Amino acid sequence: MSDTLPPCPKCSSQYTYELDALLVCPECAHEWNAEHEEAEPAESVIKDAVGNILQDGDTVSITKTMKVKGAQSALKPGTKVRNIRLVAGSGDHDIAAKVDGFGQMELKSSIVKKI
């Protein structure tokens, strides 16, 4: 057994301790199995068209004209989209949001810019 334990993956606290087969963080109460943690892939980072890292709840604007299937008009550059949610597994559409005048839709991160 090694003398040093890894820091907490959530809050990076160095005060982790062992509790049976788990590692526990006393600061944020996160529990994890160190063996499984090493095997899991790192979370993917979603970036906008200019390279800014996106997070849930961000406000973005559309950078390109986007045709919307079934709609009379297209989304124009500069359209603000508030309170986005990042989603995985929907192909290359990785943002779910409600766009004023168009309703709920999924967007590609490559056509938005964080405000």
Side-chain angles (χ1 to χ4, degrees):
M1 187 163 102
S2 65
D3 292 334
T4 60
L5 296 173
C8 176
K10 274 195 162 182
C11 69
S12 301
S13 171
Q14 298 178 8
Y15 303 111
T16 57
Y17 62 91
E18 289 182 297
L19 181 64
D20 297 327
L22 297 175
L23 295 176
V24 181
C25 175
E27 293 183 10
C28 69
H30 178 63
E31 297 178 350
W32 73 100
N33 188 336
E35 296 162 359
H36 291 171
E37 190 71 29
E38 295 170 0
E40 292 178 8
E43 291 184 26
S44 63
V45 175
I46 298 176
K47 296 184 179 184
D48 67 359
V50 293
N52 297 323
I53 296 174
L54 296 174
Q55 297 177 351
D56 286 342
D58 282 345
T59 300
V60 296
S61 66
I62 306 292
T63 59
K64 298 179 182 179
T65 301
M66 185 177 87
K67 295 180 183 177
V68 179
K69 196 177 211 181
Q72 296 289 334
S73 61
L75 281 173
K76 297 186 177 171
T79 302
K80 287 185 181 180
V81 181
R82 293 178 177 85
N83 199 20
I84 65 169
R85 287 180 294 125
L86 303 179
V87 294
S90 296
D92 52 353
H93 293 82
D94 44 12
I95 297 173
K98 184 176 180 183
V99 181
D100 292 339
F102 290 91
Q104 188 70 28
M105 64 175 47
E106 292 187 353
L107 304 169
K108 294 180 181 181
S109 60
S110 61
I111 65 155
V112 299
K113 178 180 154 191
K114 186 174 180 178
I115 297 179

